[in-house]
Amino acid sequence: MTNQSTYGKIVSVAEKFVRTRGYNGFSYADVAAEVGVSKASLHHHFATKPDLGLELIRNFTKNVSDVLEEIDYSNQKHLTKLREYARMYEGSFHENKMCLCGMLAAEHESLSDPMRKATIAFFEGHEVWLEKVLIAGKEAGELQFNGPAIDQARLIVANLQGALLVAKAAHSLPRITAVASNLIESYRVKEIA
Amino acid sequence: MTNQSTYGKIVSVAEKFVRTRGYNGFSYADVAAEVGVSKASLHHHFATKPDLGLELIRNFTKNVSDVLEEIDYSNQKHLTKLREYARMYEGSFHENKMCLCGMLAAEHESLSDPMRKATIAFFEGHEVWLEKVLIAGKEAGELQFNGPAIDQARLIVANLQGALLVAKAAHSLPRITAVASNLIESYRVKEIA
DNA sequence: AAACGTTCACTAACTAGTAGGTAGGTAAAC
DNA sequence: GTTTACCTACCTACTAGTTAGTGAACGTTT
């Protein structure tokens, strides 16, 4: 991080602040101090706080999309893909950070309109990705579930966001791991006893 | 609300602010203006913001506990009890509010120590309540699930908190109803086909 | 019953500090 | 010679919290 551009440092420091303290929980002065530049320099790169916030969402969405794409092209079993999806949240827990967009969803009443829209789009992207995995997995006979795949996709997103929310606050590892594995394994095709 | 004491008005106005904007998203001035008293009057009732915050958690926890107790004594089927639990979150969605403690969990890094502890205790209370319902329901042959009941209890809490988080931000009714019903119905004992 | 002291609920006017944002400038790079 | 990346110094509005006080309600003492 030290050999990043100032722009990049601002983004990663601000992202950390949002994911730990929330959008209303940090100031330009906080970011400036940690990056080691003046407050005015932040305004040079991001005219206003909502401008910075929007860039954080775009950057985060891009980074996560790249991971989803990697999972897509890994040619693993579909259940493994779901497990890897859940692992992202477990990783977030171990860094003691919320999902950026999970945090912003909670605060969405205080966000600018572009930030709100970008936050919703983040979730929709995940749901569409999961829906595809679920459908492909069912067709391949690797996954089982009842009802529309989109409902299951939403259930997975809701479950992992909620598990991260509660587990992080309670500093409770089992709250994220047990929830994640219970959820994902429920899609595994059971052998007839 | 108009014929409440000032104390009561402060609590209900502040609760609304936390549940919509977050703990860091409102000020004493905001509350004072909406209640129609001076800022100093708020400090008379609650010396500091963390004092007010702690009272909000206690009040909220008490109100929700009362609902859980009512459900307990209603002598309904255990699946119905789970449905009623989920209905609380759907109610919250319709008021366009987060769960108070769900919001505070996201912001828990900015909270006082007593607030943090009270927030965690809120979730533990729910998990214990759900665990009892799940165990009793399984013994009565009304509910089915694999593994420890506490894991399922945590899964339910995580799922509903997450569903509320995402659904509220996206103003999306199906995100909460579909998730809630899919989750709860999965505990129903299935007839052998 | 009148006077007293205390408590309660509240106020206007203040403090010190912080919020996001701006004005105007420097110095190096393209 | 304009653009980029930064700076110091500053602004206004707002933050939580304090001070010193008012007036009504209360029980107690005389």
Side-chain angles (χ1 to χ4, degrees), chain A residues 88-107:
Chain A
M88 289 202 304
Y89 290 82
E90 293 177 298
S92 202
F93 170 84
H94 284 107
E95 290 178 70
N96 211 10
K97 287 176 186 163
M98 280 288 288
C99 164
L100 183 95
C101 291
M103 183 64 94
L104 294 176
E107 295 179 292

Side-chain angles (χ1 to χ4, degrees), chain A residues 103 106 127 152 159 175 182, chain B residues 103 106 127 152 159 175 182:
Chain A
M103 183 64 94
E127 288 163 1
Q152 298 299 324
N159 207 299
R175 276 199 183 72
N182 255 288
Chain B
M103 183 63 94
E127 289 162 2
Q152 298 298 325
N159 207 299
R175 275 199 182 72
N182 256 287

Side-chain angles (χ1 to χ4, degrees), chain B residues 133-144:
Chain B
V133 172
L134 287 165
I135 290 172
K138 195 175 200 176
E139 280 172 3
E142 294 171 18
L143 300 178
Q144 62 156 30

